[in-house]
Amino acid sequence: MKIGIVGKGGVGKTTVAAMIARTHRERGARVVAIDTDSNPNLGMSLGLGLAEVDALPALPRSTVTGAGRGEHDAETLLAEYGRATPTGVTLLNGLRIEEAGAGCACGGHATVRSLLSQALQAQVDVTVVDMEAGLEHLSRSGGTLAAVDLLVAVVEPSRKSVVTAARTAALAEELGIPRTVVVGNKARDETDATFIAEACESHGLTLVGVLPHQETVRDADRAGADLELDPGTELGETLTRLVTELDELVTA
Ligand SMILES: Nc1ncnc2c1ncn2[C@@H]1O[C@H](COP(=O)(O)OP(=O)(O)OP(=O)(O)O)[C@@H](O)[C@H]1O
Ligand SMILES: [Mg+2]
């Protein structure tokens, strides 16, 4: 299963991507998380230190088309570029801006696209891709995320984030991505949750769940640590339900 996580800046894409990846890992799946943000920090949400994240090499700018055809087969690529994280999720770094003025990141996006479209199937059960904010990954030629089974647009309790999700869903449909659903995040109370539900409905979006704003998420971020997911909390419970529902959507 391949899931792309998209949405407006700062809504919680990286946090939600890490939580979904980790939940699948805890259920026994082999999980790869791909950071395609040119300012990568998914590794920190998966428990790596800043120095470890910065030392992670970006995927090479080559296509991966399976053993004997591409420059790298997926197994070699995972062994050379994959980084085990304390959560058990393997992290791949899609691209990195090494220096100012170095040019566009198209090569990295092409690598991620080809990884998603064919190469990782045998080695990995669940691939979660954390995207940069904005819509460029869907408009770029070929669409970095064209091969995902499911796009999850994260929204917070704000109209603009829901509008971004609606634009994303429209582009995703044009690209032929089979399903786009919305996950609400950072709801502080019932009013926030209701706003998200109503705004999604008015934009014709399918909402699968709303994660609460939780202090432990903020604290983990400030400490630069991964998030201990306690299934007894509202966040843990909602997440467990959410991951099962996303699973069912893909396998239905
Ligand atoms: N459910 C939550 N409760 C509390 N804080 C949260 C929650 N989700 C995310 N945050 C906080 O919101 C901030 C932004 O989260 P995150 O980096 O995951 O967003 P993003 O969408 O990936 O941002 P960017 O667009 O910069 O990539 C972080 O400080 C994170 O700790
Ligand atoms: Mg992010």
Side-chain angles (χ1 to χ4, degrees), residues 13-14 37 41 130-131:
K13 297 177 291 299
T14 300
D37 196 328
N41 45 36
D130 177 26
M131 297 303 297

Side-chain angles (χ1 to χ4, degrees), residues 9-246:
V11 291
K13 297 177 291 299
T14 300
T15 307
V16 171
M19 291 194 294
I20 290 177
R22 187 179 174 142
T23 304
H24 276 293
R25 179 68 202 128
E26 281 163 8
R27 291 180 185 184
R30 296 168 299 172
V31 185
V32 165
I34 309 181
D35 194 338
T36 65
D37 196 328
S38 53
N39 171 28
N41 45 36
L42 178 60
M44 288 171 75
S45 294
L46 291 169
L48 297 180
L50 180 58
E52 293 171 303
V53 171
D54 281 346
L56 194 68
L59 287 169
R61 295 183 172 217
S62 63
T63 49
V64 186
T65 49
R69 290 176 58 211
E71 285 176 48
H72 296 81
D73 64 79
E75 208 154 19
T76 317
L77 212 100
L78 271 180
E80 277 183 28
Y81 293 90
R83 174 72 160 83
T85 69
T87 57
V89 172
T90 302
L91 175 68
L92 285 174
N93 191 6
L95 48 134
R96 177 196 299 284
I97 305 298
E98 301 280 6
E99 54 187 293
C104 82
C106 297
H109 278 278
T111 305
V112 173
R113 186 168 62 234
S114 71
L115 262 181
L116 283 176
S117 60
Q118 39 204 323
L120 284 177
Q121 308 284 23
Q123 291 84 4
V124 180
D125 302 311
V126 178
T127 307
V128 180
V129 192
D130 177 26
M131 297 303 297
E132 198 157 22
L135 302 174
E136 203 198 343
H137 42 81
L138 293 169
S139 69
R140 203 177 261 288
S141 117
T144 312
L145 287 179
V148 295
D149 303 304
L150 175 70
L151 211 55
V152 172
V154 180
V155 304
E156 58 189 3
S158 81
R159 175 72 60 185
K160 285 176 186 158
S161 70
V162 177
V163 168
T164 304
R167 291 185 180 131
T168 305
L171 284 173
E173 198 178 339
E174 272 181 50
L175 262 184
I177 294 173
R179 307 159 199 85
T180 301
V181 295
V182 175
V183 167
N185 188 31
K186 301 194 200 179
R188 287 180 187 270
D189 52 28
E190 218 25 62
T191 312
D192 281 351
T194 304
F195 169 78
I196 290 175
E198 289 177 359
C200 284
E201 200 181 344
S202 76
H203 286 279
L205 294 165
T206 308
L207 179 67
V208 287
V210 179
L211 299 164
H213 187 280
Q214 193 170 289
E215 308 298 292
T216 50
V217 180
R218 181 202 63 193
D219 295 345
D221 175 88
R222 289 184 184 171
D226 68 315
L227 179 67
E228 287 296 329
L229 279 172
D230 180 351
T233 59
E234 191 193 344
L235 181 67
E237 256 178 44
T238 315
L239 191 71
T240 302
R241 217 171 32 235
L242 192 79
V243 169
T244 304
E245 257 184 67
L246 296 179

